[in-house]
Amino acid sequence: MDFGLVLQTDPPASRVVELMQRAERNGFSHGWTFDSAVLWQEPFVIYSQILARTSTLKIGPMVTNPGTRTWEVTASTFATLNDMFGNRTVCGIGRGDSAMRVAGRRPNTLARLGEAIEAIRDLAEGRKALVDGNPLRIPWIRNGKLPVWMAAYGPKALALAGQKADGFILQLADPCLTEWMVKAVRKAAQDAGRDPGALTICVAAPAYVTADDSPDALAHARNQSRWFGGMVGNHVADLVAKYGEHSAVVPDALTTYIETRHGYDYSHHGRAGNPSTDFVPDEIVDRFCLLGPTEAHTARLRHLKDLGVDQFAVYAMHDNREATIDAYGTDVIPALR
């Protein structure tokens, strides 16, 4: 199993770079950041500094979207980084939540997302692609490689990931939901004539390592991670609006916890103490996140690995970032490799 570190690009950018260097020293293979131009600093500028100060770490957004940049700009940016640092980028992509909504736009349609996945990958690897009906090719690219991993939750999005993406990003670490979604993605890949085993499966969620499993320690870890249930709840709310409550195609285990949700304030997005996430119960935090001593993390990750998960990406938006990164490097990563 590979491991990634996920950060927000809060200033100063030098701090983001330092944490990514720390992750590489601890055996992490990937570094990811949020991509929301209004809420945080521009990630692609920071990627160049991370890549220059690491040697093996692969870098990408978790996740970008097809709407905030034109596709040729996205592809050219990835291709430039790859040309400079040797094909060390991954394009995580989705419909767009905070990046689109904060700017007053709706998330992209799945149809547009599917077109973008193919176009961005083709352009970044030097092939011709259609962009808004116009055939384009970036002529200077040589030997470019850009895996495109798609984030998804609902049945149609899961199917699209299996049909077109190189990898699937699931932003929660609940084993039951992971099993259901991985099966859906791989079935879609098989039905599309693709090799389902060739898709990379990445689970991403907050991980908070505590010294012990005392009630006080776990309560603090939960409160530092509760924001994640609110973030996932934005996507779940879209699913409930589309399919209704207690749908036959979306598990209740994913949807019922947002019944008392009332709106969302993106000014606190992805941050511990987010007041828009007070509806998230402890049970969801425990299911969606990894909390407790390293032994608890290792046990959950072994379960996820058995379900076909290839990478676990640690969301480190809490007050214990360095200790959690180091604990993963000392105990968790060696146990899972």
Side-chain angles (χ1 to χ4, degrees), residues 123-163:
L123 288 171
E125 295 184 350
R127 296 184 295 276
K128 184 182 293 186
L130 285 177
V131 178
D132 295 327
N134 299 310
L136 295 177
R137 188 178 74 85
I138 302 175
W140 51 263
I141 295 176
R142 299 289 184 274
N143 302 315
K145 185 66 176 175
L146 182 66
V148 180
W149 298 2
M150 179 183 155
Y153 291 105
K156 291 184 179 179
L158 294 170
L160 180 64
Q163 292 159 4

Side-chain angles (χ1 to χ4, degrees), residues 1-7 16 19-33 47 50-51 54-62 87-92 146-149 167 169 200-204 310-316 325 333 337:
M1 179 180 275
D2 287 333
F3 289 83
L5 177 68
V6 190
L7 299 173
V16 178
L19 288 168
M20 290 299 185
Q21 290 177 300
R22 191 183 197 111
E24 183 181 60
R25 291 196 300 270
N26 276 284
F28 288 72
S29 60
H30 287 70
W32 305 94
T33 75
Y47 293 162
I50 297 170
L51 289 164
T54 57
S55 58
T56 61
L57 201 69
K58 295 181 180 179
I59 293 296
M62 189 173 281
N87 287 338
R88 288 170 55 199
T89 66
V90 180
C91 176
L146 182 66
V148 180
W149 298 2
I169 297 171
T200 301
I201 307 297
C202 175
V203 161
D310 301 298
Q311 180 180 147
F312 177 62
V314 174
Y315 277 105
I325 292 168
I333 292 175
R337 282 190 175 157

